[in-house]
Amino acid sequence: MPETAPKAAGGHRVVYAPRIQDLLARKEPVFRIDASTVGVCDPALMAEVVAARPVLSAERSVYKPAAGADIPHDSATRTIRALGQDVTAAIAAPPPPARGLSGAWPYAATSYLRRWLFASDPLPVSLLSKRGVTGSDALSRLVDRAVTLWPASGAGDTAGALAGQIRDASGTLERKQAVALYRRASATLCDGVAALAGNALWLMGPAREQRAARPGLTPFLWETLRLLPPAWMLWRKGGDAYAALHPEIRPEDDVALFPLLMHRHPDFWTDPLEFQPERWAGVADPEKTPAFMPFGFDGARCWAKHLVVPLAERLLEVAFENRITLRTEDGRTHVPLRSLLSVRFDAETGA
């Protein structure tokens, strides 16, 4: 079997779930995954697939229908702006105690970020972002009902901008959708940033403190987004728009786009499995790099892309300032088959 794991620093190794390993071993730019799904990792064809038609509401994560109705464009725009305000305010303030970063990653980092960004929101709104709540359907429904009774405009002075959308919603449907957007947006951002920061910590290896001493952590994050992109696959429901693009794609086939595979293609990358942050030195706009799609294509880019890298960089700074150490068996980490590609390890801070 060809070598597919990135060559992380200091002997750190990555072990993928079998289905991911099988994908990484594929050499074809277009290949059949099963009877009704075709995989694509060719950059030009991926761009054509994305451009063939607008993304469907059901194909989105945060902005898929809620409360039985589509999310209006103006609501989506307000949510992005509100989340940006909350993140900007949070990272300008002192972070929570670093002991919250000790434990099993990425879960410890996810909980830490949710506490950092949304702890000032009043009950019961702040419960919408708690991992213990989001992991239970029964608790989620209970909290959702409690939030719908949360006082209207003028209450909750400590509420952030995202929570304010719930408080100021006019009408039952708008309030229910604001609750869904709070839950989805907070979870998507925190889970994605935790995965990116954890992947970067692993790839940087045991000498991470010395590496981090170099000016800026951004190149390390861009190289992590290349080798271990949390958003490693994009899914599109099949149809005639795609069947005309390639003979392997039939109208009834769904299409899976794989940035994870494209980012390692030897035709576009020198030493594609090597962790080389220096390859991003002097690159003004990494997203214009050929065969690089960390946040999607034009017209289908991640709604929080302008928040992810700065927040992940700040999280790493806190981890380094508090002497974080990683603990795994034999220097190996496992990557399970999940919607977000993220390594697993135990961490401990000196704080």
Side-chain angles (χ1 to χ4, degrees):
M1 179 177 291
E3 189 174 13
T4 56
K7 297 174 182 176
H12 272 185
R13 290 175 290 167
V14 175
V15 179
Y16 295 103
R19 290 186 64 183
I20 300 178
Q21 180 64 48
D22 290 344
L23 287 170
L24 290 168
R26 304 297 293 259
K27 297 300 182 184
E28 313 96 308
V30 181
F31 52 91
R32 183 158 294 279
I33 298 174
D34 55 39
S36 60
T37 310
V38 171
V40 177
C41 61
D42 175 74
L45 183 56
M46 289 173 75
E48 289 179 353
V49 168
V50 172
R53 64 161 173 79
V55 62
L56 302 177
S57 59
E59 295 168 344
R60 300 183 183 275
S61 56
V62 175
Y63 301 123
K64 62 187 177 183
D70 286 342
I71 301 293
H73 182 268
D74 59 343
S75 294
T77 301
R78 286 198 303 270
T79 298
I80 296 172
R81 291 173 178 168
L83 190 63
Q85 293 176 40
D86 288 347
V87 170
T88 300
I91 63 178
R99 61 178 177 272
L101 291 175
S102 296
W105 277 56
Y107 308 113
T110 296
S111 296
Y112 184 87
L113 285 165
R114 292 182 180 189
R115 185 163 61 254
W116 193 357
L117 301 180
F118 306 109
S120 65
D121 290 340
L123 288 172
V125 178
S126 62
L127 295 178
L128 290 170
S129 67
K130 301 295 185 183
R131 280 193 59 241
V133 173
T134 58
S136 166
D137 290 340
L139 283 176
S140 292
R141 288 193 296 269
L142 181 63
V143 170
D144 284 358
R145 285 196 294 270
V147 174
T148 59
L149 300 176
W150 186 44
S153 183
D157 292 337
T158 64
L162 195 61
Q165 293 194 143
I166 304 173
R167 179 195 59 208
D168 300 334
S170 59
T172 302
L173 176 60
E174 185 175 325
R175 177 171 283 251
K176 287 182 177 179
Q177 290 195 326
V179 169
L181 286 174
Y182 183 105
R183 185 189 299 283
R184 294 174 187 175
S186 61
T188 300
L189 179 66
C190 293
D191 291 351
V193 170
L196 173 57
N199 293 352
L201 279 172
W202 185 260
L203 290 174
M204 292 169 78
R208 65 187 62 86
E209 288 81 5
Q210 292 89 328
R211 285 172 170 257
R214 303 176 188 176
L217 288 166
T218 305
F220 295 95
L221 291 170
W222 285 116
E223 182 69 345
T224 299
L225 284 165
R226 184 184 71 83
L227 277 175
L228 293 176
W232 63 288
M233 186 270 286
L234 301 175
W235 177 82
R236 293 291 184 266
K237 183 175 177 56
D240 293 335
Y242 301 144
L245 301 178
H246 193 278
E248 181 68 26
I249 305 176
R250 304 170 305 189
E252 63 269 26
D253 287 329
D254 294 332
V255 179
L257 310 177
F258 290 102
L260 177 66
L261 307 187
M262 181 178 68
H263 291 179
R264 298 150 177 259
H265 200 297
D267 287 352
F268 298 95
W269 303 95
T270 303
D271 299 322
L273 294 182
E274 298 283 349
F275 182 65
Q276 297 179 353
E278 57 273 14
R279 75 173 81 232
W280 300 103
V283 178
D285 187 352
E287 290 189 86
K288 291 183 179 179
T289 302
F292 187 54
M293 193 183 72
F295 298 113
F297 279 103
D298 287 337
R301 293 194 185 276
C302 170
W303 53 271
K305 77 183 193 75
H306 63 293
L307 303 175
V308 170
V309 173
L311 187 53
E313 184 167 2
R314 185 70 185 99
L315 179 63
L316 287 178
E317 289 172 350
V318 173
F320 292 137
E321 289 165 1
N322 291 276
R323 304 185 305 280
I324 193 168
T325 57
L326 279 54
R327 307 189 188 284
T328 62
E329 182 180 350
D330 300 328
R332 292 181 299 171
T333 187
H334 290 265
V335 179
L337 183 65
R338 300 284 177 82
S339 57
L340 280 178
L341 192 78
S342 57
V343 301
R344 300 293 194 262
F345 56 79
D346 289 325
E348 184 176 343
T349 65

